[in-house]
Amino acid sequence: MRPVPEPARTFAALLKQLRTSAGMTQEELARAATLSYRSISDLERGINLTARGQTARLLAEALNLKGAARASFEAAARGAAPTSPGGGATGRLAPGTPWSGGTAAATRTLPRDAGAFTGREPELRVLLAAAAGVTASGQVVGIHAIGGMAGVGKTTFAVHAAHQLAPRFPDGQVFLPLHAHTPGQRPVEPADALASLLLTAGIAAGQIPPGLEERVRLWRDHVAERRLLLVLDDAAGHEQVRPLLPGTAGSLVLITSRKHLVALDDTQTISLDTLPKAQAAELLVRLAGRSDLAPSDELALEIARLCGYLPLAIGMLAKQLQHHPSWTAADLAGELATTRDRLELMRAENVSVSAAFDLSYADLAPDQQRLFRRLGLHQGVEVDAYAAAALDDAELAATRRRLSALYDHYLLTESARGRYRLHDLLREHARALAGQDSAQDREVAAGRLLGYYVHTACAADQHLTRRIPVRPPRALPPPPHAPAFKVRADAIAWLDSERINLNAVRLNAAEHGPLGAAITLAAATHAYLRFSGHWDQALAQDLAAVELAHRADNEQAEAGARTNLGDMLLAMRDYPAATENLTEALKLYHGLDDRLGEAAVRTELAAAQYLAGDNPAAAAGLARAIELYRELDEPHGEAHALSRLASVQLVTGDYTGASDGLSQALELYRPLGDRLGEAHALNELGAVRLAMGDHATAAGRLDQALAVYRELGDQLGAANALSDLAGVRQATGNLDAAVADLAGALDLYRQLGDRLGKANGLNQLGALQLAGGQVAEASASLSEALDLYRDLGDQAGEAESLINLGDLAMAAGDHAEARRCFGEAKVLADGVASVPLIARALEGLGLARLRSGQQAEGTAALTEALELYQRIGSPAAQRARQALRTPGAGEQG
């Protein structure tokens, strides 16, 4: 018996719990227990609070309850307080070691077990024995390749076996489809498969390295010394699988494939043949639920034979018998025999599979048949009513009814409410049937689907982007039916569910045309992919869009694609490559006399210049962008550029200019309803007020920004707000609260894989640790921050960490080391034209010289620092003034 999720408090709850755990519907349990459906329904609804002894025994048999679990169940049926099987335990496995300290891990991802699973006892015994050996010896990773022809039930067997084996592998049971034989979809690349596994294990998208070997090492390190059950479904070959295998003992891997994976070392092979005829007939009868048919009947055996003893075909025909009480087994067997050899694409398989599919298809109404055929033209893996309506050129309500009918005929599975999936063999069948339609009909249907995805992706993007709006190509007409995106969350939810489909459609358009659709889809999904952390996909499609646009000699599209690529490279902290692409985009926009494009790319280019330390160039570029946006009456872009300029002004010490610009940005964002833009402006305004010493206002603005970031799910924004809030807490002497806020920020930066954020957080943490007297901890944090800044080429950050290291050396009495740190920081601060950093380095250098006995030099440096602090209106001027007035400053230390 499978474990139940929670302790049951009533017999009704216990029965429903056990039935659900067994993977049975009420109808299936009623048939298995030879009871009426009404009896099961009344018991589960609590209409009948107890069950008679015979009823309880029949239910216990049907649920396969044994020993104490059965006794507890029958006692509960009599009215005793129910307990969970096993004398009060819930049956839930004790959790293993958490996979990740960051993003939540989903370590139980097996599909539902088949309630009517039949046969395969010898193969199951092999796997159970192998699993016992793996967990007992712990010497090697157990690898079992489950092979066989299409439709033989490899996946069903692997999932059933995995459910039986699950208690032996408490650290996780993970199911990963590799799509070697999913029509219209390419086999999953090993690097992409590893990304899926790492995301499932709880690794943040931003922390997943780009290269295959790096991902292999991270995956194997992550699952080392864990007892994991991994099911790799539909593998293309050993090259696809080998990088995914754990490297240490204690885990079991089940691989299903249509190929013999003989090149995998230490692999045990289980070759699944078709079911023995008796078991095939038994499966047919169990699923059909017909009292006029028994497994030993000749007709049952004949139908099983005509199905080639393949479980997939048997299941479909059994449901036909179940849904059509007027049909006889003789009718079905006769019709099967006369409809063979119709599916040309399936000729390498058993022809009776084709007959089974054709019979299911023939049972549909003409409009349902048309939709089924056209679903074979879909390049993705799932479809909803909107996409199906576009394919079928039909009304939404009618499409929903037809999808429901296909689902009722077991031609579709429902992966989520309103979302349907075709099995790979059924997709091939649908595609073959679509080939009977005219080429023009297929082309028009595919064009409607492409138009739906392009237009809807562009509509969703309007809720995410603050740059140039993406518009569909004129050749693609808008769809008559599309989801409405009233708020940002609606757009993100749609993009989440359609991400894989959109990528498949984009790849198909890139390969077969039209190229404009492929380029537009890349642009329309860029902001979403960047925001949601799918950085690898964003980078790949932005690169492809640049190439496609260049090949098509479309300078407008290339400029937009290079702008997106530069934005993505900025997020990945590759400043030189970002600057190169953005500069090229600027040239293209100049040549096109596209002022809106020029303004947008100047805003992005300024961000690259600012992060690389070229603040004068960044300020000049943003000033020109603001001028262009105002000429074009584009308040959205103007607000974005004003916010970016404020970041530059903050680091260069123009606090008044930054505050004024951010106030203007807020006034522009609010009427536009751009709450994310508003949050960015509030956050920057809080940082500016902190630099000006207005701690109360700073805290208020930052709290507002943090609330909006959290509401919108923007983790990077939340991390930045927490980091700035920590600065307010530190400035006001609340070190404990500062440490707590900073810990939250660092956790988010690590989850996102944002190295710059991590460096800033570590630098700030080091300063906090020094203020709290934790000298060794401060040294470690600041040294790590310095290494990160240098690796990123961030001169301003490097200067800040050197200043903090200088303070650390002063606290330790090492004035020579302090002078070195402050001196290097001064050179770097001069290079990035940051007045606050120059003043801070001079202040530290002056104190270090005074304490080294260099009275004149120290006083000169402090005097210069004071003048700079006074010029920018920094509250640090008071500190410098006090240092100059303190008698004997040179003797302190």
Side-chain angles (χ1 to χ4, degrees):
M1 187 199 73
R2 296 178 186 82
V4 296
E6 299 287 348
R9 296 182 180 179
T10 65
F11 178 68
L14 178 63
L15 177 60
K16 182 176 181 180
Q17 207 172 64
L18 291 169
R19 175 182 61 76
T20 303
S21 181
M24 301 172 75
T25 64
Q26 288 184 340
E27 294 92 336
E28 289 170 340
L29 178 57
R31 289 196 301 271
T34 64
L35 297 170
S36 69
Y37 166 78
R38 179 67 176 271
S39 297
I40 305 299
S41 177
D42 286 352
L43 284 169
E44 288 194 0
R45 288 183 295 157
I47 294 175
N48 295 328
L49 299 177
T50 60
R52 290 179 296 176
Q54 178 63 16
T55 299
R57 286 190 291 276
L58 289 171
L59 288 170
E61 289 291 339
L63 291 166
N64 196 27
L65 301 179
K66 307 293 184 184
R70 177 166 183 155
S72 173
F73 177 81
E74 293 183 359
R78 295 192 299 270
T83 62
S84 299
T90 64
R92 180 178 290 178
L93 295 174
T97 304
W99 286 26
S100 171
T103 305
T107 58
R108 307 289 189 272
T109 66
L110 295 178
R112 183 178 67 86
D113 198 2
F117 185 85
T118 302
R120 309 299 189 196
E121 289 85 2
E123 294 89 350
L124 279 171
R125 284 196 295 270
V126 169
L127 276 182
L128 289 169
V134 168
T135 55
S137 67
Q139 293 179 355
V140 295
V141 175
I143 307 171
H144 289 264
I146 302 168
M149 64 184 294
V152 80
K154 300 180 292 296
T155 300
T156 301
F157 171 76
V159 170
H160 180 72
H163 278 282
Q164 306 300 308
L165 297 168
R168 299 177 183 269
F169 300 92
D171 293 322
Q173 305 97 44
V174 177
F175 181 90
L176 180 68
L178 297 177
H179 297 302
H181 300 93
T182 302
Q185 185 170 349
R186 301 177 183 182
V188 179
E189 292 293 331
D192 293 334
L194 283 164
S196 295
L197 288 171
L198 290 166
L199 286 168
T200 297
I203 301 295
Q207 292 178 302
I208 298 175
L212 174 62
E213 292 304 319
E214 293 85 355
R215 290 182 180 182
V216 170
R217 285 193 290 271
L218 179 58
W219 166 243
R220 290 179 177 167
D221 178 71
H222 209 60
V223 299
E225 301 180 2
R226 287 179 170 85
R227 291 162 62 186
L228 172 69
L229 175 58
L230 179 61
V231 181
L232 303 175
D233 185 54
D234 195 21
H238 63 90
E239 301 92 345
Q240 185 187 32
V241 168
R242 184 175 283 115
L244 315 182
L245 302 176
T248 54
S251 291
L252 180 67
V253 182
L254 308 182
I255 308 164
T256 72
S257 178
R258 296 185 192 178
K259 294 182 179 179
H260 290 281
L261 303 181
V262 294
L264 279 181
D265 299 330
D266 300 320
T267 300
Q268 301 297 315
T269 299
I270 297 177
S271 294
L272 293 185
D273 201 352
T274 53
L275 285 172
K277 63 180 181 180
Q279 291 182 355
E282 178 186 351
L283 179 62
L284 175 76
V285 172
R286 287 182 65 184
L287 291 174
R290 296 281 292 260
S291 59
D292 60 345
L293 196 63
S296 58
D297 290 350
E298 286 299 322
L299 284 173
L301 293 167
E302 176 64 5
I303 292 171
R305 183 190 71 79
L306 290 170
C307 288
Y309 306 118
L310 290 175
L312 181 61
I314 290 167
M316 293 181 64
L317 289 177
K319 294 303 178 184
Q320 297 292 335
L321 284 173
Q322 184 185 54
H323 286 309
H324 296 278
S326 62
W327 286 16
T328 67
D331 291 337
L332 181 58
E335 197 167 358
L336 255 180
T338 60
T339 54
R340 300 168 67 177
D341 300 322
R342 290 184 57 189
L343 188 57
E344 184 67 17
L345 294 177
M346 295 283 292
R347 61 184 183 272
E349 303 283 353
N350 188 303
V351 294
S352 293
V353 179
S354 308
F357 290 160
D358 277 331
L359 277 177
S360 294
Y361 174 75
D363 197 39
L364 301 173
D367 58 341
Q368 296 164 1
Q369 289 182 337
R370 185 186 65 243
L371 176 59
F372 180 72
R373 292 196 306 273
R374 287 176 174 171
L375 288 177
L377 303 175
H378 195 287
Q379 295 95 19
V381 295
E382 288 184 349
V383 66
D384 67 359
Y386 291 104
L391 263 173
D392 206 30
D393 194 20
E395 291 299 317
L396 198 61
T399 302
R400 287 195 172 108
R401 290 194 297 271
R402 289 165 193 158
L403 286 169
S404 181
L406 295 179
Y407 174 77
D408 288 341
H409 284 82
Y410 291 87
L411 291 169
L412 294 176
T413 58
E414 192 173 21
S415 54
R417 184 175 181 180
R419 296 190 65 79
Y420 297 92
R421 184 184 293 258
L422 274 171
H423 184 277
D424 57 354
L425 297 179
L426 285 169
R427 188 182 299 277
E428 291 181 23
H429 183 63
R431 185 165 297 167
L433 291 170
Q436 300 171 11
D437 296 330
S438 69
Q440 181 182 7
D441 182 73
R442 296 195 303 272
E443 183 178 344
V444 171
R448 287 193 302 265
L449 180 68
L450 180 61
Y452 162 73
Y453 277 123
V454 171
H455 277 271
T456 312
C458 289
D461 183 56
Q462 300 308 304
H463 290 266
L464 277 75
T465 182
R466 294 192 304 277
R467 294 183 292 100
I468 304 173
V470 181
R471 296 184 175 87
R474 293 180 181 176
L476 291 175
H481 308 290
F485 304 130
K486 295 181 180 179
V487 294
R488 176 187 173 91
D490 295 339
I492 291 174
W494 184 83
L495 288 162
D496 282 339
S497 63
E498 295 290 351
R499 180 177 66 86
I500 295 175
N501 283 340
L502 290 167
N503 193 48
V505 170
R506 180 188 64 81
L507 288 170
N508 187 73
E511 185 172 352
H512 302 292
L515 297 184
I519 296 167
T520 302
L521 278 171
T525 54
H526 167 83
Y528 159 74
L529 293 172
R530 188 189 190 284
F531 166 83
S532 60
H534 298 288
W535 288 3
D536 281 359
Q537 184 180 334
L539 182 63
Q541 70 179 39
D542 289 340
L543 284 165
V546 169
E547 181 184 348
L548 289 174
H550 187 73
R551 189 199 316 166
D553 197 25
N554 187 334
E555 292 187 340
Q556 187 78 43
E558 184 179 350
R562 286 192 180 276
T563 302
N564 285 334
L565 179 58
D567 177 59
M568 196 61 247
L569 290 165
L570 272 178
M572 302 178 82
R573 308 304 179 189
D574 188 347
Y575 305 144
T579 301
E580 178 185 348
N581 279 280
L582 292 168
T583 302
E584 186 61 33
L586 184 60
K587 292 177 183 176
L588 289 167
Y589 281 130
H590 267 309
L592 294 164
D593 194 27
D594 185 336
R595 294 190 297 159
L596 180 59
E598 180 186 343
V601 79
R602 280 190 181 280
T603 305
E604 294 301 320
L605 183 58
Q609 293 163 333
Y610 160 71
L611 289 168
D614 192 351
N615 292 313
L622 287 164
R624 176 57 180 156
I626 293 168
E627 180 183 346
L628 287 168
Y629 281 130
R630 286 173 176 167
E631 290 174 2
L632 296 167
D633 192 21
E634 287 285 346
H636 219 158
E638 181 186 348
H640 188 38
L642 283 167
S643 294
R644 283 274 173 89
L645 180 59
S647 298
V648 179
Q649 291 167 324
L650 174 62
V651 78
T652 56
D654 184 3
Y655 301 150
T656 301
S659 182
D660 291 345
L662 289 166
S663 297
Q664 293 177 50
L666 278 172
E667 291 177 4
L668 292 169
Y669 278 134
R670 282 172 174 156
L672 294 167
D674 186 346
R675 302 195 67 232
L676 185 60
E678 184 180 344
H680 288 328
L682 285 167
N683 194 81
E684 285 299 301
L685 194 53
V688 171
R689 301 311 298 183
L690 171 61
M692 297 174 73
D694 185 356
H695 301 143
T697 303
R701 297 292 182 269
L702 292 168
D703 281 333
Q704 288 177 276
L706 179 60
V708 177
Y709 283 135
R710 284 175 168 167
E711 179 186 340
L712 297 177
D714 189 325
Q715 290 184 307
L716 181 58
N720 292 335
L722 284 169
S723 177
D724 289 331
L725 276 169
V728 175
R729 315 291 191 220
Q730 183 179 5
T732 55
N734 192 348
L735 297 186
D736 289 341
V739 169
D741 284 339
L742 195 55
L746 274 168
D747 186 48
L748 289 171
Y749 286 135
R750 290 186 177 109
Q751 288 180 42
L752 292 165
D754 188 328
R755 293 189 299 154
L756 179 59
K758 181 181 177 182
N760 290 337
L762 286 169
N763 185 54
Q764 197 172 350
L765 179 61
L768 277 171
Q769 289 165 332
L770 179 58
Q774 299 171 287
V775 176
E777 293 86 347
S779 177
S781 298
L782 294 170
S783 296
E784 186 178 355
L786 181 62
D787 289 342
L788 281 169
Y789 283 132
R790 285 174 172 167
D791 187 48
L792 290 165
D794 189 321
Q795 295 182 63
E798 186 179 350
E800 282 196 60
S801 59
L802 282 167
I803 288 169
N804 285 328
L805 283 167
D807 288 340
L808 181 69
M810 289 281 285
D814 189 347
H815 301 142
E817 175 64 12
R819 290 197 306 274
R820 185 191 69 78
C821 290
F822 291 129
E824 289 186 20
K826 170 66 167 54
V827 172
L828 290 166
D830 284 335
V832 298
S834 174
V835 176
L837 284 177
I838 294 170
R840 182 69 183 86
L842 284 168
E843 179 188 2
L845 192 59
L847 287 172
R849 285 172 174 170
L850 287 176
R851 293 178 187 179
S852 301
Q854 300 172 348
Q855 195 71 27
E857 295 89 339
T859 300
L862 277 171
T863 301
E864 188 177 353
L866 175 60
E867 291 171 354
L868 291 174
Y869 282 141
Q870 289 173 328
R871 189 209 308 174
I872 64 176
S874 171
Q878 179 62 30
R879 189 177 61 222
R881 190 179 295 112
Q882 183 63 34
L884 284 168
R885 291 173 179 171
T886 301
E891 284 73 43
Q892 291 179 12

